Amino acid sequence: MTIQTGDLREMKTDIKKVDRAEMAEKLGKALASSYVLYHKTQSVHWNVTGPQFLGIHKLTEGQYEDLAASIDEIAERIRALGAKTPVGLSTYIENSAIEDKVECGDVKAMLKQLSGDAITVANQMREFVKTAEEADDVFTADLLTARIGVLEESSWMLSASI
Ligand SMILES: [Fe+2]
């Protein structure tokens, strides 16, 4: 998933074209990771069983709804930077920081995996905030920073439910 400067729309922004290309590429990875986490969160939402069913079913519902909104936000930021969004589920899986499958059996193991995944995605975004700051792309830095906060909170809530 490489974005060349030639693929970008001409814009009158103070963010350099080369930086827009790099940022769009990294946002594409953040999008891929968020998409995979969205899918995994739904997998847990659907397959959870046991005495904690209702709590975890509801917790994961709130989390996948938030992820869905964030996926749209990240994709549209890529467009606002003048690039095209990545297309294809296989592209998302290849570019995600986390694996696409969650072992759906033991509830504790499922929650542990989701909780760890949220932190992995947050850590990936933290790296990308540095790129955004260096490029003076303040909006992307803000967007990713906000996502890190939400993901770290999700990770805590999942691990607190174990
Ligand atoms: Fe549901």
Side-chain angles (χ1 to χ4, degrees):
M1 196 171 62
T2 320
I3 294 171
Q4 312 285 353
T5 50
D7 302 331
L8 292 184
R9 193 175 72 239
E10 291 303 326
M11 285 169 64
K12 273 191 174 180
T13 171
D14 286 342
I15 308 168
K16 291 193 197 95
K17 206 175 189 185
V18 63
D19 290 337
R20 282 196 282 127
E22 190 188 358
M23 203 65 253
E25 204 172 298
K26 298 207 163 156
L27 279 170
K29 290 185 175 158
L31 174 65
S33 297
S34 302
Y35 217 104
V36 170
L37 186 60
Y38 167 73
H39 168 72
K40 280 177 101 164
T41 305
Q42 276 194 327
S43 304
V44 173
H45 172 76
W46 294 325
N47 289 300
V48 64
T49 54
Q52 280 184 287
F53 171 83
L54 202 58
I56 292 165
H57 188 71
K58 282 185 177 165
L59 175 67
T60 48
E61 181 171 287
Q63 292 182 346
Y64 78 66
E65 282 173 354
D66 160 74
L67 282 161
S70 81
I71 285 162
D72 195 48
E73 234 184 328
I74 297 167
E76 289 175 0
R77 182 60 188 161
I78 295 173
R79 297 294 293 131
L81 286 169
K84 293 258 166 70
T85 64
V87 170
L89 292 177
S90 58
T91 308
Y92 290 156
I93 293 167
E94 279 161 28
N95 286 282
S96 168
I98 55 169
E99 279 181 38
D100 66 313
K101 283 187 192 117
V102 59
E103 200 61 53
C104 287
D106 179 59
V107 175
K108 279 184 189 171
M110 278 156 69
L111 295 179
K112 199 175 164 202
Q113 204 188 329
L114 267 194
S115 173
D117 285 341
I119 289 296
T120 302
V121 178
N123 286 342
Q124 181 192 46
M125 288 177 177
R126 203 184 327 277
E127 279 305 308
F128 299 164
V129 170
K130 289 179 198 161
T131 314
E133 281 170 348
E134 281 161 18
D136 251 347
D137 184 355
V138 289
F139 185 86
T140 301
D142 229 45
L143 169 65
L144 292 175
T145 301
R147 289 310 305 156
I148 292 167
V150 174
L151 288 165
E152 287 176 343
E153 188 184 77
S154 296
S155 175
W156 155 56
M157 288 186 178
L158 289 161
S159 66
S161 307
I162 295 172

